[in-house]
Amino acid sequence: MGQENENQMICNAAELKYQRNSPKDVAVQYGEKCRCLQNFTAHMAEALLYNRVQLFPLSHGQTAIRVNVCGSVMACAVVPLDQQQVTESGPLGKERILPALHPDRKEERCFVPYKPPPEDGSPAEVEEFLEHARFIAEDLEWLLALPHDKFWCQVVFDESLQRCLDSYLHQAPRGLDVATLPLSPAVADVQRAIHKAVFLTFLRMATHKESKEHFFTPAVFGEIIYDNFLFDIPKILDLCVLFGKGNSQLLHKMIENIFTQQPAYYNDLDETLPTVLQVFHTILDKCGLQCEGATAMEPMKLTAQKQPTAMSMNLEELGDIVLYLCDSTTTIHAFLDIFPAACSSFHSHGFLGRLPSIYEAAVPELEKAIRKRNFDKSLQEDLWKRLSHSCRKMVETTHLLLHHTCLQPILEGRENKQTFAEELLQYFTSFLPEKRFLVDYDEQFPIADDINLLQQALPVIDETRTSYLLQGVESAWDSTGRRRPQGHIQNNGASSFSTNQGAAGGTAAASDSFGPQEVKESRGEAGDKPRGAEATMNVPQRGNNGAVCPVSGPELESLLSCIGDLLPDLGEGFLLACLQEYDYNSELVINNILEDRLAPDLEKLDRAMPRPVKEELPAVLNNRSNVFDDDEFDVFRRERVDMSRIWKGRRKGENTREMLNDKQHIAEQRARYQAYETVVDEVVVEPGDSAGDAYDLDDYDDEYDDTYDMNQVGANDLDGDSLLNRRPFTVPQVLRKGTKVEHEEQEEDEDEDVSQNHVNRDQFVQDPALLRERAEAKRAAMQQKKGVHPERPSNVLGRPKGQGQTAETFLDRRKKEANKSRVSNHNRRTMADRKRNKGMIPS
């Protein structure tokens, strides 16, 4: 009893301590003292319950105390939820101990199933949807707010919750559905809220450890979600297609945790995949098609009735088939993209062998039916968009399977890389008969790039086989009549040609697989232009300067030295010509030289020809041509330049008054104009002098014919329509020199009104300064009459540059810039900026 009294004292002390501290502090403080309580019996536990103290084990075999004011034993923080027990009041008020996960702990709440937004958009239906959706959103938010144990009780034992979640996964609009377009902002908001709440609910359901205090035992967690069908393969597929966009990382962790904690889902996936394959074969059967060859599920019976084709079936049924195909391909691709570990299961069920043949059989028939049948325009566009989306997803699914099952193990350096490479080449070879699928796959994921990576990882790969594959790809492009994108041609050039032109002879090796006609076509001998991999041999030309060298200078020197070491008797000039002829492929050059199969142009060259000497380019300054050549500032041709005429920035101008008073230019021009005033009427020639020497007179030319000098031939011969007959020629008034006209004009001016302020009528243009002065006076009088204060004179010129500007100058400039559109040249800068933005004026 002494030990029990001591334990009772410890419990009482813990209860008193709880009044001032939190339960956590009590547990930490009394944890060491309560080691002796580990072996308590049941009656001791009841005593602790009476004193409202709970024991729970700590790490390293310790025990701590935690007080529960409500009088019930609380769940242990370090015990998994599946092992916890709680005490609750029974139906008759008697307390009982229950597991933390028990149906009686579930809250009575009815979750309503989800319904998609109405397509018609009538106000009554929209209002009904909003009310229904708000119930779902509120219930899910309440569920997410529950504590860990209550949440799992509700999830495991509430069937209405599972029906609600399943209904959303089944009926929620997908990415290409018309219903995804919201009818109103309210519909969009409530749909977004439900979408987020459903995703968070599934995310919490897939988490077995929320914190250090709230977690499951991993094995028990896997059993709970598996036995209660909280997750299954169809649900996981729907989760990927609904929430994959923008949440791929979270979904990947979520699905990975599900498959890790419960490996039985891998078996369910293996059992589901035959059904997925049956979906595609059902589509073929509905379209009247049968997958032939080794990929067929079962041969067609002779007594079987002929199924309607895509061209003859009902339009509604054809639309359903396209929707079915789109939904299936999108879901599978989303699942494999988010959870690549499932690619091995798809690969083991032969998806890579069946998917191309299904694509080849179904897609052309469905495209033909959609194009040629009489659909509604909007429905036809929607079906065409869905079919195109399905084609892209099938190609991307095939690429994912090839990448994760064949190519990625090779790049990661796993064992048996040769086996994976052989399998990859085998799949590419199986794609060759499916021309349409092969072209679409090569358009999105060029096969030459994968082969190039394969050659880099495994240099011992069979070049003949890769050459055969690339030839088959080119043949598929030619047979479908489509042109390969230009970017793919450039990317495939080096890899395809290097594969096709190896040391073994390139096209000679390809002749084992193709007939002579195909070999001629691949060499460019049969047609106007080469076909196949050799079509990339067309080296770009640069004007008339020859081919552009595709290799750099050091690489060219390395090729020359490599060939020169093997064939030292050949000159570098001859080797350089051979490299240019064979696209700088050293192996092909060496092979053709040793087998004496050089081109006819190379056979004519001297094999000891040295390398041509590079001509030194002349200096740029000697060949330049500029409008400023030989001027006073040409520093390239002048040794001295007048530096006094060169300054930096704006040169400070001279005084305006001094510049106007400087009449030096008038004195310089005085002698020139005085020469025009010299008129000699009579020249006095002294004996012995010459008049021509004194006045620069020309001597008389006796041979000059002056017959017509004095006679004006035809000067007075006037035509009937001549202007002179209608109006005689008069001297302009400005050029008249008589005083009579001036006197008559003065008399006329005196007779006019004196109010003209004696304005001189002879002036051609009045003084602009006088006109501006009169206008300013008139404007000032009008403003004074109206009571308007005159504006401050504008000063946009300001001070010289570098001396600073006043605030008034900045304001005047801004005002001028803002109001300049009122004058004649308005909108000039705006239109100039518009032309510059459109590229009409180089900037």
Side-chain angles (χ1 to χ4, degrees), residues 320 433-434 449 465 800:
D320 292 339
E434 320 296 344
D449 294 347
R465 190 170 186 179

Side-chain angles (χ1 to χ4, degrees), residues 203-230:
L203 186 62
R204 191 175 182 183
M205 290 167 54
T207 305
H208 73 284
K209 184 177 182 180
E210 294 185 2
S211 64
K212 295 181 179 180
E213 293 82 10
H214 305 104
F215 64 95
F216 275 98
T217 303
V220 178
F221 172 78
E223 295 177 359
I224 290 176
I225 63 175
Y226 190 79
D227 295 340
N228 294 280
F229 296 94
L230 301 184

Side-chain angles (χ1 to χ4, degrees), residues 3 122 143 243 301 355 358 436 475 492 531 675 779 841:
Q3 184 66 33
S122 61
L143 176 67
F243 305 102
K301 298 180 180 180
L355 201 58
I358 295 172
R436 170 64 187 275
S475 176
N492 298 343
R531 301 174 60 188
R779 190 182 303 109
I841 302 176

Side-chain angles (χ1 to χ4, degrees), residues 19-35:
Q19 298 177 1
R20 297 184 179 180
N21 299 279
S22 63
K24 183 178 180 181
D25 297 335
V26 175
V28 173
Q29 183 172 359
Y30 288 88
E32 295 292 336
K33 296 181 181 181
C34 293
R35 293 184 180 180

Side-chain angles (χ1 to χ4, degrees), residues 834-842:
R834 182 178 179 186
K835 291 182 179 180
R836 184 177 294 104
N837 294 335
K838 290 186 176 181
M840 301 175 65
I841 302 176

Side-chain angles (χ1 to χ4, degrees), residues 406-631:
C406 299
L407 191 58
Q408 188 172 359
I410 299 174
L411 300 178
E412 292 177 354
R414 300 182 188 176
E415 297 180 358
N416 302 326
K417 292 193 296 183
Q418 188 67 31
T419 304
F420 290 110
E422 180 67 24
E423 188 176 9
L424 179 63
L425 294 177
Q426 181 65 33
Y427 279 121
F428 282 152
T429 306
S430 66
F431 293 165
L432 293 180
E434 320 296 344
K435 302 292 185 182
R436 170 64 187 275
F437 175 81
L438 184 63
V439 170
D440 291 345
Y441 182 89
D442 187 65
E443 183 178 7
Q444 294 190 44
F445 310 101
I447 296 179
D449 294 347
D450 294 339
I451 293 180
N452 190 16
L453 290 176
L454 199 62
Q455 290 175 340
Q456 296 177 12
L458 293 173
V460 295
I461 200 71
D462 187 5
E463 295 184 356
T464 303
R465 190 170 186 179
T466 57
S467 174
Y468 171 77
L469 286 176
L470 294 175
Q471 292 279 358
V473 174
E474 296 296 333
S475 176
W477 279 95
D478 295 338
S479 62
T480 55
R482 294 166 56 183
R483 297 184 59 184
R484 184 191 293 252
Q486 188 67 24
H488 288 188
I489 295 177
Q490 296 175 358
N491 295 336
N492 298 343
S495 59
S496 62
F497 184 72
S498 63
T499 304
N500 196 26
Q501 301 283 351
T507 55
S511 63
D512 298 336
S513 303
F514 294 93
Q517 181 65 24
E518 285 79 359
V519 175
K520 288 183 180 180
E521 291 180 357
S522 65
R523 293 179 180 176
E525 299 176 1
D528 297 336
K529 58 182 181 179
R531 301 174 60 188
E534 198 174 61
T536 60
M537 279 195 58
N538 296 330
V539 182
Q541 301 289 328
R542 184 184 295 168
N544 297 326
N545 299 328
V548 179
C549 182
V551 297
S552 60
E555 293 176 347
L556 182 60
E557 296 296 335
S558 177
L559 293 175
L560 290 175
S561 62
C562 179
I563 302 175
D565 293 341
L566 297 176
L567 305 171
D569 56 329
L570 301 179
E572 290 188 355
F574 177 75
L575 296 179
L576 185 61
C578 293
L579 287 173
Q580 293 176 354
E581 178 69 22
Y582 295 106
D583 198 18
Y584 296 90
N585 191 337
S586 59
E587 297 179 355
L588 189 59
V589 170
I590 295 172
N591 183 69
N592 291 338
I593 291 177
L594 294 178
E595 295 183 1
D596 198 14
R597 296 193 309 172
L598 292 176
D601 296 338
L602 298 177
E603 292 288 352
K604 300 177 183 179
L605 298 178
D606 183 12
R607 300 204 170 195
M609 180 176 61
R611 190 172 183 176
V613 181
K614 293 183 179 180
E615 298 181 0
E616 295 185 359
L617 297 176
V620 179
L621 297 179
N622 297 334
N623 293 336
R624 72 166 193 153
S625 179
N626 198 293
V627 294
F628 301 107
D629 288 344
D630 299 324
D631 63 357

Side-chain angles (χ1 to χ4, degrees), residues 786-811:
K786 295 181 180 180
V788 179
H789 297 284
E791 297 181 357
R792 178 179 54 82
S794 177
N795 181 20
V796 296
L797 183 60
R799 299 175 183 174
K801 187 176 181 181
Q803 297 183 6
Q805 304 294 337
T806 61
E808 289 78 4
T809 303
F810 285 114
L811 293 176

